[in-house]
Amino acid sequence: DIQMTQSPSYVSASVGDRVTITCRASQGISSWLAWYQQKPGKAPKLLIYAASTLQSDVPSRFSGSGSGTDFTLTIRSLQPEDFATYYCQQGNSFPRTFGQGTKVDIK
Amino acid sequence: QVTLRESGPALVKPTQTLTLTCTFSGFTLGSSGMCVSWVRQPPGKALEWLALIDWADAKDYTTSLKTRLTISRDTSKNQVVLTMTDMDPVDTATYYCARGVTTLRFFDYWGQGTLVTVSS
């Protein structure tokens, strides 16, 4: 199984900050990576797929990059509604696997 | 528009079998490229992918739970069913179903989730 490791597990940031979250795969996954945002008590929401393609209706302050084993989610200017937990997910092979999550909290 | 809704018991006893149903609308599972997955999330913990069934009735399961899981579909009812045998308190979680596109390998629509507690 492919293991997905996110870092950091927790980030404390302020509105307007630039936030970067990293996801590393235990083996190469090409660009088969998605990012999700989850708020408390809610289902995950797809933000980015194929490593860098923004899902429709997702604000352009979100961006993704990477290929192979190392990937990054960047939030350019953090907004109040962005405080949430973020997960990466690999789609290269079965079983599908998620990272352990990164919580973005208010400083 | 695409919607999914999970249903099933909120409480099961240890050793019992859990049966969850995902009822969806807005897409046809029999259409090329469509799939439905189950994902769970224990309280305060990360997402865990469980199983997938696709438009061709192909199925895949997470390695650690493969012997306990069965996923099936009823295309006439727009439903996907997940059964999990021999439930244990560690299986307490919110269970989500989600639509996927097999060619793009992500999940674009999710149900609201259903909390299942395993306790005697």
Side-chain angles (χ1 to χ4, degrees):
Chain A
D1 297 3
I2 297 175
Q3 285 202 343
M4 307 300 293
T5 303
Q6 289 181 231
S7 60
S9 296
Y10 178 86
V11 58
S12 182
S14 301
V15 172
D17 284 353
R18 178 186 181 96
V19 172
T20 299
I21 299 168
T22 297
C23 179
R24 175 164 289 175
S26 61
Q27 63 190 76
I29 60 170
S30 185
S31 295
W32 297 113
L33 186 97
W35 289 98
Y36 301 85
Q37 176 193 68
Q38 187 181 34
K39 296 182 178 179
K42 299 294 187 182
K45 173 188 174 183
L46 177 68
L47 297 177
I48 288 169
Y49 61 93
S52 61
T53 303
L54 207 62
Q55 174 71 336
S56 59
D57 296 331
V58 173
S60 59
R61 62 180 179 272
F62 290 93
S63 63
S65 64
S67 67
T69 59
D70 294 315
F71 301 85
T72 298
L73 172 69
T74 299
I75 310 172
R76 191 177 66 241
S77 175
L78 202 64
Q79 296 302 300
E81 60 268 30
D82 301 336
F83 292 97
T85 300
Y86 294 84
Y87 293 94
C88 60
Q89 171 247 318
Q90 66 83 14
N92 182 74
S93 62
F94 287 104
R96 303 290 191 240
T97 44
F98 289 90
Q100 82 278 16
T102 296
K103 184 175 183 180
V104 178
D105 211 346
I106 303 172
K107 183 182 286 185
Chain B
Q1 81 275 23
V2 174
T3 64
L4 303 98
R5 186 180 76 251
E6 305 87 354
S7 58
L11 179 67
V12 297
K13 291 181 173 18
T15 75
Q16 287 186 335
T17 294
L18 171 69
T19 299
L20 294 173
T21 300
C22 175
T23 303
F24 57 87
S25 63
F27 69 99
T28 302
L29 185 52
S31 296
S32 179
M34 292 292 109
C35 64
V36 171
S37 269
W38 286 93
V39 175
R40 72 177 180 179
Q41 185 172 40
K45 296 189 176 180
L47 301 169
E48 179 184 19
W49 180 84
L50 298 177
L52 175 148
I53 189 165
D54 76 7
W55 61 280
D57 206 30
K59 301 159 190 174
D60 279 280
Y61 299 96
T62 190
T63 303
S64 62
L65 296 171
K66 184 175 282 193
T67 59
R68 298 174 52 205
L69 294 173
T70 302
I71 192 169
S72 61
R73 67 182 190 175
D74 185 334
T75 51
S76 66
K77 293 182 179 179
N78 282 349
Q79 291 181 335
V80 170
V81 175
L82 181 76
T83 62
M84 182 181 295
T85 61
D86 195 24
M87 293 292 284
D88 183 273
V90 300
D91 297 313
T92 294
T94 296
Y95 287 76
Y96 296 99
C97 61
R99 187 191 84 158
V101 179
T102 56
T103 51
L104 296 176
R105 310 186 189 186
F106 57 78
F107 311 115
D108 55 357
Y109 292 92
W110 294 65
Q112 65 193 22
T114 186
L115 175 62
V116 178
T117 300
V118 184
S119 174
S120 54

